Amino acid sequence: MDEQQPHDEWWSEGPVFSTTDRGSKITTIAPGERIGRFTPGLAVGAVLTCATWTGLAFAGLPRILGGGYTAPAIDGPARSWWWLALSFLGVVGLMVATPWFYGASKRRFGQQSIGFGLSVAVAAAGFLVAGVVHLRMIADYAASLPPDTPSWERPDATIALMFTAVALAAFVGVLAWLPFAFFRARRRQRQIVRLRETGRRFTGEVDSLDFKREWIAGRPQFDATIRYALGGETRTFRAAMATDSDRVPLPGFPVRIMVGERGATLVEPDLDRPAAFDTDTDYTQPSGGGGG
């Protein structure tokens, strides 16, 4: 057992509770933070991240498809050492840009699902651009060939077309979902801010936890029973909880409960009381999956 105060950034690291949502849709917002919006900085991050996906997809397609499925202008260079070196640099850039963009999106809108959705949209856009460029190069090369060129000497654009169609479907699908996701996340954040400002306050504690054996982005998921006193009676209710694997609260963990109109309820760690986290159980996600 680890006796310590909840971290100052508990809204990012956990534990985070929700009486309305579960899993990746659990919404948070840092105290004093503005409601999430798509800022110019986030837009620049999206463009730069998309550029890394575009470059990597463009470089990878000739290596994956091989001769006969790409334009000859890049079929030869794609087999050279410097093409592989550039591809490696693209992978490094991707490993930096994508986690940053995902984290920035998640912090801005307080939802893992938003961060994941935006990252998928940006990646799909990158693959889509790369696919379109390849198709245009194949079409230009095919148009330059004499009309009597046999079909086996012409590049086959079928696989590149399928690749591009999948990227387009993913991009359009996520793009259609994002406006509703933005609206929902912002509405949840406004409710959190309103409950912090005007909700009736109660002191309570975590009565028990039910580990779901599920992880989302490496964070274990729980069903929590919250206990508090009202009018001399002890009351309980259920809430979903997500947290970092080393920040799982023990029973008795102090929380503040804020209740608003129509029973809207917010549960947050109570920073004014000592708290304890569980160090006797390993909640780290097993390698190879282990849950959502």
Side-chain angles (χ1 to χ4, degrees):
M1 183 175 69
D2 186 12
E3 293 281 354
Q4 57 177 292
Q5 289 287 355
H7 196 277
D8 287 343
E9 295 188 355
W10 56 263
W11 54 88
S12 175
E13 300 173 2
V16 178
F17 303 89
S18 175
T19 59
T20 55
D21 300 303
R22 301 184 61 83
S24 62
K25 291 185 175 63
I26 293 177
T27 308
T28 66
I29 182 172
E33 187 66 43
R34 297 177 60 183
I35 302 300
R37 58 192 180 91
F38 201 80
T39 62
L42 206 58
V44 171
V47 171
L48 293 178
T49 305
C50 181
T52 62
W53 279 104
T54 301
L56 192 61
F58 180 82
L61 266 178
R63 302 286 305 184
I64 295 172
L65 301 181
Y69 294 95
T70 58
I74 59 173
D75 185 42
R79 303 176 186 277
S80 63
W81 67 269
W82 58 265
W83 190 279
L84 288 175
L86 289 176
S87 299
F88 175 76
L89 291 177
V91 171
V92 172
L94 197 65
M95 293 175 65
V96 173
T98 303
W100 175 88
F101 181 69
Y102 166 80
S105 304
K106 182 170 70 73
R107 286 191 300 272
R108 178 69 60 183
F109 293 96
Q111 254 188 35
Q112 287 181 309
S113 60
I114 292 286
F116 180 73
L118 280 172
S119 298
V120 170
V122 166
F127 276 94
L128 177 60
V129 171
V132 168
V133 172
H134 272 287
L135 287 174
R136 179 58 186 268
M137 294 179 68
I138 293 172
D140 288 346
Y141 173 71
S144 68
L145 295 174
D148 58 349
T149 302
S151 59
W152 61 84
E153 292 185 9
R154 295 176 178 273
D156 186 353
T158 302
I159 299 180
L161 184 61
M162 293 173 58
F163 173 92
T164 307
V166 170
L168 176 61
F171 179 69
V172 171
V174 176
L175 209 63
W177 166 80
L178 277 173
F180 300 97
F182 285 147
F183 174 80
R184 190 172 184 276
R186 286 170 56 86
R187 184 178 61 186
R188 288 284 188 256
Q189 287 187 326
R190 280 193 293 268
Q191 185 180 61
I192 291 172
V193 172
R194 185 167 58 252
L195 287 171
R196 284 174 180 165
E197 294 175 348
T198 64
R200 296 173 58 200
R201 294 177 174 266
F202 303 92
T203 58
E205 60 187 28
V206 174
D207 183 67
S208 63
L209 290 176
D210 178 17
F211 182 32
K212 307 305 292 180
R213 304 300 303 176
E214 297 176 357
W215 291 262
I216 297 178
R219 306 182 77 188
Q221 308 293 309
F222 298 81
D223 280 339
T225 300
I226 307 298
R227 181 176 62 235
Y228 70 106
L230 177 63
E233 297 182 2
T234 299
R235 300 192 177 188
T236 62
F237 62 90
R238 302 281 283 179
M241 189 192 83
T243 187
D244 284 357
S245 58
D246 59 347
R247 294 179 55 79
V248 177
L250 286 167
F253 184 89
V255 296
R256 290 180 298 215
I257 302 164
M258 289 144 275
V259 181
E261 299 177 355
R262 300 179 181 178
T265 305
L266 175 65
V267 181
E268 294 182 343
D270 188 345
L271 303 183
D272 295 328
R273 292 187 285 162
F277 297 103
D278 189 353
T279 59
D280 297 330
T281 303
D282 186 7
Y283 293 101
T284 303
Q285 182 174 7
S287 59

